[in-house]
Amino acid sequence: MNLFKFHWLIYVSFSIFFASLASAADSGLKTDNSVSWSADWIWSNERASIPNSWVAFRKEVTIDQLSDKAVAYISADTKYWLWINGELVVFEGGFTGGPSPVKASVRVDNYAIASNKYYDTVDIQKYLKKGKNTIAALAWYWGDNGTKGTHISAMTGGFLFQAEVGVQTIVSDKTWKAINHAAYQRDFIKTNPIRIAAWSVKYDANQALGDWTKLAWYMPGFDDSQWKNPKTKRFPPREPFFKLFPSEIPPLTNYGLANCINYPDSKFPFVSDGKKIECQLDLNKNYTPYFDIEADAGQKIHVKSNMTRSTIDTFYTTKQGRQQFESYSWTNGRIIEYNIPKGVTVHALKYRWTGVGSTPGHFESDDDWYTRIWQMSENTLYICARDNFMDTPDRERGLWIGDVADQASYLFYSMDKPGRDLLKKAIKVTMAFSDSESGIFAGLGPGRFRELPAQSLQFIEQGIWHYYYNTGDKETLAYAYPYVHKYLTLWDIKDNGLATFRAGAWKWTDWGPQDTIDYDAIQNALYYSALVSARKMALALDDNAHIAMYNQRIDSIKAAYQKHYWQEGFFSSNPQQLKDDRANGIAILFGLAKPEQYQQIVDNVLVPNHFASPHFEWMVYNAMAIAGRYDDALSRMKQRYGAQVDNKERSTLTEYLTGKGTENHAWNAPATVLSQYIAGIEPTSVAWKTYQIMPNMAHMKVLKQLVPSVQGDIDFEIQRDDKKIAITLDSPSETSALVGIPKQYFDIKSVSVNGDLVWGKSSSFESKPKQMNGIKFVGENDKYLKFEVAAGIWVIEANQ
């Protein structure tokens, strides 16, 4: 069947469904902030349901009086680019997915469900001028959800713009001008498997509207007299766009056009010899490719990523003469492959890097290998963050919540507020699109429903609770908690004290060797961790209704786990067959193992058995660190990730520890152990109001860690030699840190802070240490001298 007819039939078949919800959308539902909508949803006069459609909009407005504040509220199905007075304001606006379904629903896999929409809030004040202003937007309607559920299409294109400029309101309505941008060809056919909703770009420059020139359609003075007024679809809330919710995250960070590292400005111009041009990026990035060429009309250019699993390509037909082009459908890679016909003059090859927020977090040590793997982890995290946290940008772009839980383990050591907000989005979308009757929330959403109990349980502890503990966002916790509780009631406790096993739609737990996975032990541990986290959520929310249930189940499983799974040296539900590093690692990590069992577990299982895929591997490192086996954890990391880290072509971590699969997969989190247990930095109360630094340097002599916490940046450095340990700490305001000076390297005789002696190894100092504003000696154990430190900049020296 023709693809356009297929989508049209889908649209018609769901029109009755949308109509049945229209009254609910228009009667009594209000937007979730102070925006009082008077703008209309608009589109061109062509049929709005044609997939892969690009529509250009223009509006000339006169601003009588400039204001210190000018804010635009913008939405689209599906994406938009915005210019004001010819200056690019938003590059790829509009986040896919949907904040919530239109109504609660029983969910089944691949069942289409109507979704409310997001809108962006954009400060446009600096782009405006008094008098005549030109507002222009390019909107791209996908008309496709993909098979991984990342998007829920309204089955029709739409663009919405409303700006408040002082007392003046500018709205999208029938006075705008609109035209289908004919240069963007719609005859591109996706080939199976169709995993992602976005499309490749097929562009014929002979039908361009002056794009990328001073005479472009988005520039002031462009003659739009042949354009038509748009088709209007009334103001929100209305079907099929329904309610509008403010986006959880700001528009993407636009790093601007940049040269590839092997094609600086000095290499241009040159004449193509017809061979493939490999344009190298400094690291694996999400990008849009750009070129500036001079050619005869009708020649074909093909641009693609070096990533073999990427399905986003660019196909360009040249016009006569000098021309520029940027393909707006982002892809990812470390090499952009340009196939430019022989004889074409190339004046520039560039790319635009875009992403969510930024990654100010940093780790560094005097062992370059660990510095490199931490940076590769951060690169992997960032490339898997965009419309949602995703498993991988080049194959699926799916919000697998088990992968998100892995990402959350080190997100807070790496990304700034937009990254934290992207996790909030993942939590709210996952909960909102749960099954309203059963209470199941799926491992992949919002548009696909497939329960993977192992991922759902992991997400409760390492996603939802971890988010709250690091941010203090009680509103999101309160939203998620009822879903968490309802889901946990789907398990029963058996007569032996363990939890019933739940297979869900897929009992998948890890991609390591399948005959070594201890499913029973792992699911009981994950369920136990989810119960513990649910109890902490309830206490944080002053909700005692289910505390007794949590206590009973926690106590039951903890005792039964020891009774039925402990095998005199390791945990196993079947000791003759299973000796699983994943099950034993999380037994330590989640507190099911006793401290006196740690060393046996490490020696018997975690050192010799390497079954985990990256999805569980990072948890094994954390467990070994909790057991005090830092050197063994680092050694295992080097064994398992060595080939990838030593491959200088790579800047991200792969789907499998063999280096195969997707080259950038979200569930790689080896950085967590380096930040949390080697640098030793972690919060000790909600939202990092208090935190501790208990460094475990292993063989390293220099460690640096910057943590972009919700309270502000924590900048820490420690150096040691045989006679001195030097620590510097810049601690954000309104925080308190517990700093440990490691005692294992030499016999510490004195400690000075900011040049003043505050501790000495003598009875007088130990009984009466010197008092200094903002720092206090609070005691010691066998590993550390401990000081409580107020906000500020501190230089601490411990000497032999």
Side-chain angles (χ1 to χ4, degrees):
M1 179 183 290
N2 180 279
L3 185 63
F4 300 148
K5 290 182 179 178
F6 175 72
H7 280 84
W8 176 244
L9 287 174
I10 292 176
Y11 176 71
V12 171
S13 65
F14 281 104
S15 62
I16 297 173
F17 171 69
F18 287 150
S20 69
L21 299 175
S23 60
D26 286 333
S27 61
L29 294 179
K30 297 181 180 179
T31 53
D32 283 35
N33 82 337
S34 59
V35 178
S36 178
W37 292 100
S38 55
D40 290 328
W41 283 97
I42 59 175
W43 200 248
S44 72
N45 278 276
E46 291 193 26
R47 181 156 50 88
S49 59
I50 300 175
N52 194 23
S53 291
W54 297 76
V55 175
F57 299 95
R58 280 177 57 86
K59 174 68 175 178
E60 301 284 355
V61 296
T62 299
I63 296 179
D64 301 319
Q65 188 65 46
L66 291 176
S67 171
D68 291 338
K69 183 178 181 182
V71 178
Y73 308 103
I74 314 166
S75 187
D77 197 329
T78 309
K79 295 284 186 177
Y80 71 90
W81 288 255
L82 179 72
W83 294 262
I84 295 179
N85 295 324
E87 189 172 354
L88 182 65
V89 179
V90 176
F91 187 92
E92 194 192 307
F95 288 93
T96 62
S100 61
V102 172
K103 67 175 183 177
S105 174
V106 178
R107 298 300 307 279
V108 295
D109 204 12
N110 294 324
Y111 173 72
I113 183 169
S115 175
N116 296 300
K117 297 296 178 193
Y118 290 111
Y119 67 87
D120 296 332
T121 302
V122 181
D123 183 356
I124 61 172
Q125 191 273 335
K126 68 179 181 179
Y127 303 98
L128 299 173
K129 61 183 180 180
K130 190 173 182 180
K132 189 176 181 181
N133 289 260
T134 301
I135 300 173
L138 178 66
W140 183 23
Y141 167 61
W142 288 355
D144 189 4
N145 296 332
T147 60
K148 292 301 178 181
T150 56
H151 179 54
I152 299 176
S153 176
M155 293 300 173
T156 182
F159 177 73
L160 183 76
F161 180 94
Q162 181 164 316
E164 311 292 342
V165 184
V167 298
Q168 190 172 354
T169 301
I170 304 166
V171 299
S172 52
D173 58 20
K174 63 183 179 181
T175 68
W176 285 49
K177 292 293 188 74
I179 191 172
N180 275 67
H181 199 314
Y184 290 94
Q185 306 290 286
R186 296 189 296 215
D187 60 349
F188 180 84
I189 304 298
K190 291 182 178 179
T191 56
N192 286 323
I194 304 172
R195 290 189 171 99
I196 64 175
W199 296 74
S200 291
V201 170
K202 187 178 181 183
Y203 187 93
D204 184 352
N206 296 287
Q207 301 188 63
L209 297 171
D211 304 76
W212 300 282
T213 73
K214 294 181 179 179
L215 302 176
W217 61 271
Y218 45 79
M219 299 294 289
F222 179 83
D223 182 6
D224 60 11
S225 59
Q226 300 303 308
W227 293 26
K228 296 181 180 180
N229 297 117
K231 186 183 296 181
T232 60
K233 304 181 180 183
R234 297 187 292 122
F235 57 84
R238 61 140 296 154
E239 81 293 342
F241 310 106
F242 300 102
K243 291 179 67 178
L244 284 171
F245 290 75
S247 175
E248 302 289 356
I249 43 182
L252 297 173
T253 300
N254 177 0
Y255 293 94
L257 289 172
N259 286 317
C260 299
I261 59 175
N262 60 330
Y263 279 93
D265 288 336
S266 60
K267 281 203 172 184
F268 300 100
F270 66 86
V271 178
S272 172
D273 60 5
K275 296 179 181 179
K276 179 172 65 178
I277 300 169
E278 294 191 341
C279 195
Q280 298 174 6
L281 282 59
D282 54 341
L283 55 93
N284 195 354
K285 293 176 175 178
N286 294 332
Y287 69 85
T288 50
Y290 169 94
F291 54 79
D292 179 352
I293 60 171
E294 192 170 355
D296 293 331
Q299 295 185 282
K300 306 295 184 181
I301 293 175
H302 179 206
V303 186
K304 65 187 296 291
S305 165
N306 72 298
M307 297 297 167
T308 58
R309 291 169 175 81
S310 173
T311 59
I312 300 297
D313 288 3
T314 297
F315 304 91
Y316 181 87
T317 302
T318 62
K319 63 183 179 180
Q320 187 68 35
R322 186 80 175 261
Q323 55 208 279
Q324 298 81 33
F325 175 74
E326 181 176 1
S327 183
Y328 286 158
S329 186
W330 70 272
T331 187
N332 79 287
R334 50 185 170 82
I335 299 174
I336 307 173
E337 297 178 359
Y338 288 93
N339 294 279
I340 299 175
K342 185 177 181 179
V344 171
T345 301
V346 181
H347 291 277
L349 298 173
K350 295 178 183 287
Y351 70 94
R352 186 187 306 271
W353 181 26
T354 51
V356 171
S358 63
T359 53
H362 180 73
F363 172 88
E364 186 178 336
S365 80
D366 57 320
D367 189 324
D368 293 339
W369 194 94
Y370 295 100
T371 301
R372 176 164 162 75
I373 194 172
W374 196 96
Q375 188 59 57
M376 292 176 77
S377 299
E378 182 175 83
N379 295 344
T380 308
L381 173 70
Y382 194 60
I383 205 171
C384 292
R386 201 172 178 93
D387 286 56
N388 46 260
F389 279 118
M390 54 187 149
D391 60 338
T392 175
D394 56 357
R395 186 182 65 200
E396 294 182 357
R397 304 182 180 179
L399 199 164
W400 293 95
I401 59 175
D403 296 38
V404 175
D406 297 336
Q407 290 168 304
S409 72
Y410 67 111
L411 161 68
F412 298 98
Y413 292 102
S414 182
M415 294 187 74
D416 57 4
K417 184 178 187 299
R420 299 191 288 267
D421 290 342
L422 194 64
L423 178 55
K424 175 170 66 173
K425 178 178 185 282
I427 293 168
K428 293 174 73 173
V429 167
T430 298
M431 300 296 107
F433 284 91
S434 66
D435 187 309
S436 58
E437 288 196 4
S438 70
I440 295 169
F441 52 87
L444 180 63
R448 190 176 182 189
F449 193 78
R450 196 177 193 189
E451 183 198 5
L452 285 74
Q455 290 206 6
S456 297
L457 292 172
Q458 182 193 3
F459 189 62
I460 291 171
E461 196 269 338
Q462 294 174 347
I464 300 170
W465 175 253
H466 196 63
Y467 169 77
Y468 168 69
Y469 196 71
N470 279 271
T471 65
D473 180 359
K474 190 173 285 189
E475 181 181 357
T476 299
L477 183 70
Y479 177 82
Y481 173 68
Y483 296 96
V484 169
H485 171 72
K486 188 173 183 179
Y487 184 64
L488 293 178
T489 63
L490 299 180
W491 277 260
D492 291 321
I493 298 297
K494 298 185 293 186
D495 291 341
N496 67 1
L498 294 168
T500 55
F501 187 84
R502 184 173 178 83
W506 189 14
K507 74 171 185 177
W508 180 92
T509 299
D510 184 68
W511 275 135
Q514 296 301 289
D515 59 349
T516 64
I517 297 178
D518 197 338
Y519 283 103
D520 288 335
I522 289 174
Q523 190 169 114
N524 265 278
L526 289 170
Y527 185 64
Y528 174 86
S529 74
L531 288 169
V532 171
S533 293
R535 180 172 64 182
K536 289 188 286 190
M537 293 177 197
L539 293 172
L541 295 169
D542 295 321
D543 183 347
N544 296 316
H546 310 295
I547 295 296
M549 169 209 156
Y550 297 141
N551 287 339
Q552 188 276 325
R553 293 191 172 196
I554 288 168
D555 293 344
S556 173
I557 294 173
K558 188 163 191 175
Y561 209 89
Q562 286 285 336
K563 179 179 179 181
H564 297 291
Y565 292 154
W566 181 247
Q567 309 295 339
E568 298 304 321
F570 61 98
F571 287 100
S572 178
S573 66
N574 184 350
Q576 286 72 43
Q577 182 178 344
L578 302 172
K579 205 170 183 180
D580 188 7
D581 53 344
R582 292 154 292 201
N584 282 270
I586 63 175
I588 293 176
L589 188 63
F590 297 149
L592 285 163
K594 299 176 181 177
E596 58 266 29
Q597 296 169 332
Y598 290 175
Q599 304 312 313
Q600 294 179 75
I601 292 171
V602 174
D603 289 331
N604 294 334
V605 183
L606 304 188
V607 169
N609 294 349
H610 293 181
F611 302 138
S613 80
H615 180 48
F616 269 84
E617 181 71 9
W618 68 273
M619 291 186 262
V620 175
Y621 304 152
N622 284 15
M624 297 173 84
I626 290 170
R629 302 287 287 271
Y630 308 105
D631 290 294
D632 288 315
L634 295 175
S635 176
R636 174 169 170 144
M637 183 193 297
K638 209 163 198 175
Q639 285 179 269
R640 305 222 70 196
Y641 278 99
Q644 291 187 62
V645 177
D646 294 339
N647 184 345
K648 299 307 179 185
E649 290 185 352
R650 300 291 179 90
S651 58
T652 51
L653 300 171
T654 59
E655 187 171 8
Y656 305 111
L657 287 163
T658 59
K660 296 182 179 180
T662 59
E663 194 173 302
N664 29 247
H665 212 87
W667 58 21
N668 283 276
T672 304
V673 71
L674 296 171
S675 297
Q676 187 174 357
Y677 294 103
I678 301 303
I681 305 177
E682 62 180 339
T684 54
S685 64
V686 173
W688 290 82
K689 285 287 189 180
T690 61
Y691 64 95
Q692 68 178 22
I693 304 177
M694 298 292 156
N696 299 284
M697 301 182 74
H699 65 280
M700 303 174 200
K701 294 190 175 182
V702 178
L703 288 175
K704 299 178 183 179
Q705 176 76 59
L706 188 146
V707 181
S709 84
V710 69
Q711 300 296 337
D713 289 348
I714 298 167
D715 199 352
F716 168 74
E717 179 177 352
I718 181 170
Q719 299 186 42
R720 67 177 177 89
D721 56 29
D722 294 337
K723 296 183 178 180
K724 184 174 74 173
I725 294 173
I727 293 172
T728 60
L729 172 64
D730 187 347
S731 189
S733 61
E734 299 184 12
T735 64
S736 175
L738 182 64
V739 178
I741 303 175
K743 297 167 58 177
Q744 69 189 88
Y745 302 110
F746 54 81
D747 185 20
I748 298 175
K749 299 292 179 53
S750 64
V751 176
S752 62
V753 176
N754 293 352
D756 290 336
L757 185 68
V758 297
W759 183 91
K761 193 171 185 179
S762 66
S763 57
S764 60
F765 270 104
E766 288 182 348
S767 60
K768 296 181 180 179
K770 180 177 178 179
Q771 297 301 308
M772 181 177 178
N773 287 338
I775 189 165
K776 178 182 178 184
F777 175 67
V778 294
E780 62 181 301
N781 59 19
D782 59 337
K783 292 181 67 176
Y784 300 102
L785 295 173
K786 297 182 181 181
F787 291 83
E788 190 176 280
V789 176
I793 298 175
W794 304 96
V795 178
I796 303 171
E797 286 191 4
N799 293 281
Q800 189 177 39

